[in-house]
Amino acid sequence: MVLLGHPTAGATHHPGPSRRTLSLAFASAAAVLLAACWLVIQQYNERPPWAQDISYEAGFIQGNRIRHYDPTGRQAKDLLAGGCERFRAEGRGGLKATYDPGLWVAGCLDGAAGRQLEKQGLFH
């Protein structure tokens, strides 16, 4: 607070980078971040970085769900006898099956057979 007629004691100037230096630093950091994002998009396009794991797990979940909700066991046997390939060929595996169709079918077969998930957990 400044009182009229009194000297301004205690008001000191703290040296630091100028506004020009700060704005250049922020602009260069934004340019580097934009370039990194562009490289990642060019590398993976619409495919996620861990598409193989995603594809296998999606197939495993599909086969496992069918096995668990099949009271007679007929659908699980059908999956093991070529049903997983038919699911993928008909497009019933979804987008995740298109990342790596072979791994999606392998995951579906493992899930339908009741095997343990191959790469389970954070550290595999």
Side-chain angles (χ1 to χ4, degrees):
M1 178 164 95
V2 177
L3 298 175
L4 297 175
H6 294 284
T8 56
T12 59
H13 176 70
H14 297 286
S18 66
R19 288 187 179 137
R20 180 177 177 262
T21 306
L22 282 176
S23 61
L24 284 175
F26 284 129
S28 61
V32 168
L33 183 64
L34 184 65
C37 290
W38 181 78
L39 285 174
V40 168
I41 290 170
Q42 289 298 318
Q43 176 71 30
Y44 296 110
N45 201 6
E46 293 181 4
R47 188 171 186 255
W50 298 281
Q52 292 83 10
D53 293 341
I54 292 170
S55 185
Y56 178 83
E57 289 174 9
F60 182 85
I61 290 170
Q62 179 78 18
N64 199 20
R65 282 183 182 161
I66 290 175
R67 185 177 64 85
H68 280 304
Y69 293 109
D70 182 19
T72 62
R74 187 176 50 88
Q75 289 177 334
K77 288 178 186 174
D78 181 48
L79 283 180
L80 293 172
C84 289
E85 290 87 3
R86 281 195 310 276
F87 265 44
R88 188 200 51 76
E90 293 171 358
R92 292 171 59 188
L95 177 65
K96 295 175 183 174
T98 62
Y99 296 151
D100 194 334
L103 280 177
W104 188 91
V105 171
C108 179
L109 291 171
D110 287 349
R115 289 190 279 273
Q116 185 68 19
L117 187 62
E118 272 184 7
K119 298 177 182 178
Q120 188 175 14
L122 186 60
F123 303 104
H124 53 270

